[in-house]
Amino acid sequence: MAETWDTIADWYAERLRTGSAMHEFSRDILLDCLPETLTGQRILDLGCGEGIITRALAARGAWALGIDPFPRMIEQAQAAPKNGPPGAHYAVDDGCTLATVATGSVHWVTAALSLNNVPDLSAALTAVRRVLVPGGGLAFTIAHPCFEAPHATWTDRAQGRPRRVVGDYHAEGFWRSDNPQGVRRAGNQHRMLSTYLNALGGHGFLLEATAEPSPSSRVAAEQPQRAGLPPFFLVRASRS
Ligand SMILES: C[S@@+](CC[C@H](N)C(=O)[O-])C[C@H]1O[C@@H](n2cnc3c(N)ncnc32)[C@H](O)[C@@H]1O
């Protein structure tokens, strides 16, 4: 049976709770591009998974709503921190519609590694624009599509330091990793960098910042082959 985010939700939550250097790096770079204090800010965390970002936003003082279309993910998020920050809330919802979120009701939308999972980017950006207040912000990370393109692999260690082998960059669409321990065994949507950037402009977002941070020292220690390549692409934009 093909895996989905629902069927790997327990595995994903366990992986993050036992300390995933890569996910903590993703969380930290996203949080770093937001204002230091989020008190009084209402934030929607699109594709919250088990809630790593939602909790961090609430810990900085925000009222944060994490949404995810997969009920088991939301159950994991709700079960997570018994003594977690009071501002973290969760609901089952689809990032392509955000049907449970009122128009013009949030100051920020965050989306950590989730826009590369939504099947319809245009629908998601339409929904994000609808729920943001005018001038509100969108901050998101995606797996860097230049290096995490479908079925990217590594050269053989026997040939020295492994190097990334990438093809199929132009092959946009759904693909699934055949790595039984990989997050992307649940599948994900590959899109070119230009597709994301053009879609933002086309939906009335102004690009404020992009970044391709080097892996943290913890990530590089765990996965030395990743040194010198950015695992994530980070974008901050505002709603015009
Ligand atoms: C790599 S996980 C990231 C989860 C979390 N943001 C984090 O940083 O750990 C991708 C998430 O996107 C969610 N997702 C998949 N399709 C989605 C959709 N249509 N709308 C919103 N989220 C979606 C998945 O359920 C999953 O929780």
Side-chain angles (χ1 to χ4, degrees):
M1 189 188 73
E3 300 270 31
T4 68
W5 281 105
D6 233 19
T7 63
I8 72 165
D10 292 358
W11 171 87
Y12 189 75
E14 179 66 16
R15 180 171 167 184
L16 267 61
R17 285 179 199 146
T18 50
S20 162
M22 194 61 109
H23 288 88
E24 288 168 18
F25 173 55
S26 149
R27 174 196 63 199
D28 294 347
I29 61 172
L30 186 61
L31 269 283
D32 278 355
C33 86
L34 298 176
E36 187 58 40
T37 300
L38 295 172
T39 306
Q41 298 288 292
R42 293 174 62 87
I43 305 186
L44 174 74
D45 184 29
L46 187 156
C48 64
E50 63 74 57
I52 183 173
I53 306 293
T54 319
R55 290 191 297 276
L57 295 168
R60 274 211 198 168
W63 179 94
L65 172 65
I67 68 95
D68 202 285
F70 293 95
R72 186 64 191 157
M73 278 296 192
I74 293 299
E75 284 171 21
Q76 283 289 357
Q78 284 167 332
K82 295 282 182 273
N83 56 353
H89 309 271
Y90 300 98
V92 175
D93 200 350
D94 189 328
C96 294
T97 51
L98 298 176
T100 67
V101 188
T103 298
S105 64
V106 296
H107 302 99
W108 284 93
V109 172
T110 55
L113 309 178
S114 55
L115 286 181
N116 55 310
N117 281 279
V118 300
D120 186 340
L121 181 63
S122 177
L125 291 176
T126 299
V128 167
R129 185 178 166 80
R130 178 182 65 75
V131 303
L132 278 170
V133 298
L138 166 64
F140 70 88
T141 53
I142 50 174
H144 199 308
C146 297
F147 309 112
E148 305 302 322
H151 308 292
T153 182
W154 300 93
T155 56
D156 197 334
R157 277 177 202 279
Q159 296 166 0
R161 182 180 157 195
R163 295 289 183 179
R164 204 62 161 143
V165 180
V166 182
D168 301 330
Y169 178 69
H170 292 108
E172 294 198 317
F174 182 84
W175 72 280
R176 185 187 295 282
S177 166
D178 51 16
N179 176 1
Q181 296 305 314
V183 168
R184 279 172 287 181
R185 68 185 192 272
N188 67 120
Q189 303 281 343
H190 175 67
R191 299 182 183 95
M192 296 184 291
L193 221 40
S194 53
T195 298
Y196 283 101
L197 298 178
N198 289 333
L200 282 172
H203 286 79
F205 287 92
L206 301 174
L207 196 57
E208 289 184 343
T210 60
E212 298 167 290
S214 295
S216 65
S217 51
R218 266 185 70 210
V219 170
E222 280 182 13
Q223 301 185 59
Q225 73 276 18
R226 290 196 177 273
L229 292 179
F232 305 127
F233 188 71
L234 169 74
V235 173
R236 195 184 69 219
S238 60
R239 181 198 190 286
S240 58

